[in-house]
């Protein structure tokens, strides 16, 4: 099923695509998230390589079992006709109660129907104290604040 906005992207439509991705990932629903990708999508997430929606759903299911109370912010970094680059931060805790902030960059490539056909993510995890968390859930409507440098 097509997923607007469609390439070629403008500044406005690239920002819309980034916000839609942020909202979907904050749902922590692997099936919902996977619907934004082509059937044969290709991913690199850290050192893991995935191909196809089924592998994406399996990966996200494992991810959100490990990364509890996950909350994410994405920010548009750059774009071209069919590609978008984002930077992001997300926070979570593990089963032992340790709290983490993860910093990363993603490169996205889209098919003409607006589905993402390629995603490459580089991510670093930093331990933080619980009181340092600032991302506690999805953004409020209308919040377009940039990511702080923390």
């Amino acid at each position: 099923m097509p997923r607007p906005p469609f390439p070629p992207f403008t500044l406005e439509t690239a920002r819309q695509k980034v916000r839609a991705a942020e909202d979907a990932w904050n749902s922590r629903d692997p099936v919902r998230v996977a619907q934004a990708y082509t059937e044969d999508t290709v991913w690199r997430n850290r050192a893991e390589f995935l191909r196809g929606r089924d592998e994406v759903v399996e990966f996200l299911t494992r991810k959100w079992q490990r990364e509890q109370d996950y909350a994410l912010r994405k920010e548009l970094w750059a774009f071209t006709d069919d590609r978008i680059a984002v930077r992001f931060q997300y926070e979570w805790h593990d089963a032992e109660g340790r709290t983490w902030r993860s910093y990363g960059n993603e490169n996205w490539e889209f098919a003409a129907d607006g589905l993402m056909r390629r995603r490459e993510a580089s991510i670093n995890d930093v331990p933080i104290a619980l009181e340092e968390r600032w991302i506690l859930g999805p953004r409020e409507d209308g919040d377009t604040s940039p990511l702080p440098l923390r």
Side-chain angles (χ1 to χ4, degrees):
M1 170 181 292
R3 179 73 56 130
F6 306 111
F9 296 115
T10 64
L11 178 59
E12 179 181 344
T13 61
R15 284 182 175 150
Q16 289 171 0
K17 206 63 150 175
V18 172
R19 182 61 187 263
E22 178 183 304
D23 291 345
W25 281 67
N26 274 325
S27 76
R28 292 177 267 175
D29 178 343
V31 173
R32 175 183 171 191
V33 172
Q35 295 307 305
Y37 300 89
T38 60
E39 288 285 344
D40 61 347
T41 192
V42 175
W43 280 30
R44 180 188 57 78
N45 195 88
R46 302 177 191 248
E48 192 166 349
F49 295 84
L50 312 172
R51 184 173 295 275
R53 279 189 191 155
D54 290 343
E55 289 186 16
V56 168
V57 170
E58 291 170 12
F59 167 81
L60 292 173
T61 300
R62 287 191 322 273
K63 172 185 176 65
W64 289 320
Q65 286 171 348
R66 183 175 63 88
E67 296 176 357
Q68 299 169 18
D69 292 327
Y70 171 98
L72 165 76
R73 294 293 183 274
K74 290 185 183 278
E75 182 176 82
L76 177 65
W77 189 253
F79 70 96
T80 62
D81 288 347
D82 65 348
R83 293 180 178 172
I84 294 175
V86 299
R87 70 184 194 104
F88 61 87
Q89 295 176 25
Y90 64 87
E91 295 174 344
W92 54 283
H93 68 83
D94 59 27
E96 289 77 39
R98 292 175 298 214
T99 306
W100 302 87
R101 182 176 299 127
S102 300
Y103 296 89
N105 298 294
E106 292 176 314
N107 295 317
W108 302 340
E109 183 177 72
F110 293 87
D113 62 2
L115 295 174
M116 194 182 303
R117 68 175 155 225
R118 184 174 194 89
R119 175 186 174 268
E120 296 189 20
S122 297
I123 306 167
N124 298 302
D125 302 320
V126 177
I128 61 171
L130 179 60
E131 54 274 4
E132 292 180 83
R133 278 197 78 163
W134 70 275
I135 307 171
L136 302 174
R139 287 183 198 251
E140 300 285 328
D141 286 340
D143 178 359
T144 60
S145 58
L147 289 173
L149 186 57
R150 295 180 188 233

